[in-house]
Amino acid sequence: MAFAGFPSRLPQVGTTIFTVMSRLAAAHGAINLSQGFPDFSPPPRLAERVAHHMAAGGNQYAPMAGALPLREAIAEKVAALYGARYDVEAEITVTAGATQGIFTAIAACVRPGDEVIVFAPVYDSYVPAIELNGGKAVFATLRFPDYLPDWDEVRALINPRTRLIVINTPHNPSGAVWSAADLAALEALVRDSGIVVLADEVHEHMVFDGARHESVARYPALAERSFVVSSFGKTYHITGWKIAYCLAPRELMAEFRKAHQFIVFAVNHPAQLALADFMREDPGFAAALADFYRGKRDFLRAQLAGSRFELLPCAGTYFQLARYAAISAEPDTAFAQRLTREHGVATIPVSVFYPGGDDHRVVRFCFAKNEATLAAAGERLRAL
Ligand code: GLN
């Protein structure tokens, strides 16, 4: 079949790198350290609770905003961790994954002609979401090699058309973690403006080496103008369940829900009820995640220690960046493809997250894997 001449609304966009690389990994039987997902199981108790709720009748539409017990569990968690009180009825919405939450927040506030500041390297869903809603992405830089923002640069990008600033900490793909000083700088920039903040905090429980996650929810002057998106997929090893949530003050959340109800309406009901049970029964699970993933980070770093990869710092997330300039002069996309095809390890090339394709010869490894997987990859990578 063919339908020629249909004018694309996203002419610059191809298929997301995560799908491209996972597909290539499968085609070549490569160890897949590209797309971020665990190769181990969620806690068995969580699956048991899904089965329970399916048997017990939780099989019809969830409430549009999310199952009440889950919203209650989220409110308790956020209050305990960040001291922020979000109203269960009006200020918390469960979404079908963080990507939907981010898209919906953008759809709820970006109008044609609005400018949205994003930070490059930028997670690949933000700019298409901005453009589909008629906005224009304006790029601030996370400076190589520490991938932290330059607040003077951000200040210079703000103008009366700036509607939204999208931030992401811990940062994907770099693993950089913003400090309290970064949040304070952001707060000072947006205070007394009409600018909304969208904080992608899906890796909130993966911050290492004694640092703490600086959620915008900790800072009342930021929280009052912010959407905060987090993810159950990352925290409970269930990326395939596609469940996340958004927090926002009631005026913003009312607008969010106007869009949410017609984008997805509601989210998988038994899974929500199971998550609510599990969060109640095992509140320590999320708190233990940082140590769990720090161990995996250190294991992967030890695997690569004898290689020609140069490891960049990893302060958070389950991603490790590495420079391969000592191995090859190829562009990172070519290197990542060849690494998959010829050496059997799939990674994500970082240049795809820059509007201009900036190439620092860096690839991203996902270490949310069993030690056997990381060891097998390490053996292949040390041979390069
Ligand atoms: N967040 C995941 C990653 O960075 C990808 C999610 C997706 O493929 N949509 O690897």
Side-chain angles (χ1 to χ4, degrees):
M1 284 200 284
F3 187 60
F6 181 73
S8 174
R9 292 202 53 209
L10 294 171
Q12 312 307 330
V13 173
T15 300
T16 169
I17 190 69
F18 306 115
T19 295
V20 169
M21 293 311 300
S22 275
R23 209 155 50 193
L24 195 68
H28 293 272
I31 299 171
N32 189 0
L33 306 188
S34 64
Q35 191 178 29
F37 61 86
D39 72 346
F40 40 83
S41 298
R45 179 70 182 155
L46 189 50
E48 275 169 37
R49 294 313 290 167
V50 178
H52 165 81
H53 286 292
M54 284 182 164
N59 297 300
Q60 309 313 325
Y61 295 121
M64 186 268 277
L68 185 59
L70 184 55
R71 282 183 282 140
E72 287 169 349
I74 295 166
E76 280 166 30
K77 177 196 110 166
V78 173
L81 282 180
Y82 309 127
R85 306 237 159 249
Y86 284 89
D87 183 79
V88 168
E89 286 304 327
E91 300 184 322
I92 300 172
T93 300
V94 179
T95 63
T99 302
Q100 185 245 310
I102 289 163
F103 186 94
T104 303
I106 289 169
C109 66
V110 172
R111 296 167 168 73
D114 284 350
E115 291 187 4
V116 180
I117 296 176
V118 297
F119 293 81
V122 57
Y123 186 69
D124 78 338
S125 84
Y126 304 169
V127 173
I130 292 161
E131 292 180 350
L132 280 172
N133 287 290
K136 179 180 171 222
V138 174
F139 295 88
T141 321
L142 299 171
R143 285 166 309 186
F144 181 80
D146 66 4
Y147 296 98
L148 290 171
D150 171 348
W151 291 106
D152 291 332
E153 183 198 25
V154 181
R155 183 180 303 105
L157 294 175
I158 292 178
N159 67 57
R161 291 183 300 281
T162 308
R163 172 78 58 191
L164 178 69
I165 300 179
V166 186
I167 70 168
N168 173 213
T169 182
H171 182 253
N172 183 2
S174 73
V177 168
W178 286 14
S179 67
D182 290 312
L183 279 278
L186 175 65
E187 186 178 303
L189 282 187
V190 296
R191 188 180 296 136
D192 305 323
S193 79
I195 298 172
V196 176
V197 172
L198 167 55
D200 174 351
E201 302 186 5
V202 300
H203 298 98
E204 65 177 320
H205 299 296
M206 298 167 207
V207 174
F208 310 133
D209 306 323
R212 68 171 203 179
H213 170 56
E214 296 297 343
S215 175
V216 301
R218 286 188 194 278
Y219 299 92
L222 276 176
E224 71 181 15
R225 60 176 67 247
S226 297
F227 294 102
V228 183
V229 173
S230 190
S231 160
F232 295 109
K234 311 290 181 286
T235 303
Y236 298 104
H237 318 319
I238 49 169
T239 62
W241 293 19
K242 295 299 298 177
I243 304 186
Y245 62 87
C246 181
L247 314 169
R250 65 183 61 235
E251 299 79 5
L252 289 180
M253 188 54 82
E255 294 304 312
F256 182 99
R257 287 181 183 170
K258 287 182 194 176
H260 174 80
Q261 65 187 337
F262 298 122
I263 292 174
V264 67
F265 178 60
V267 174
N268 186 309
H269 199 179
Q272 289 191 62
L273 296 170
L275 279 165
D277 293 345
F278 190 78
M279 288 173 78
R280 283 260 151 66
E281 288 176 14
D282 196 351
F285 188 92
L289 209 63
D291 261 353
F292 175 76
Y293 277 119
R294 186 198 39 73
K296 293 200 176 290
R297 177 200 66 177
D298 293 347
F299 187 84
L300 176 65
R301 290 179 72 94
Q303 288 297 316
L304 294 176
S307 78
R308 289 194 290 161
F309 285 95
E310 177 199 338
L311 299 179
L312 300 185
C314 169
T317 74
Y318 50 43
F319 303 119
Q320 170 67 56
L321 294 191
R323 284 198 90 210
Y324 61 86
I327 299 171
S328 165
E330 289 162 285
D332 65 358
T333 47
F335 178 75
Q337 302 242 353
R338 192 169 63 76
L339 195 63
T340 310
R341 287 202 181 91
E342 296 178 11
H343 300 278
V345 181
T347 61
I348 297 289
V350 170
S351 69
V352 302
F353 302 109
Y354 289 92
D358 302 19
D359 188 349
H360 300 288
R361 307 290 191 261
V362 171
V363 290
R364 189 196 79 174
F365 296 99
C366 173
F367 54 78
K369 306 293 170 188
N370 286 307
E371 288 195 352
T373 309
L374 297 173
E379 196 177 324
R380 295 176 188 190
L381 296 168
R382 285 194 304 276
L384 282 164

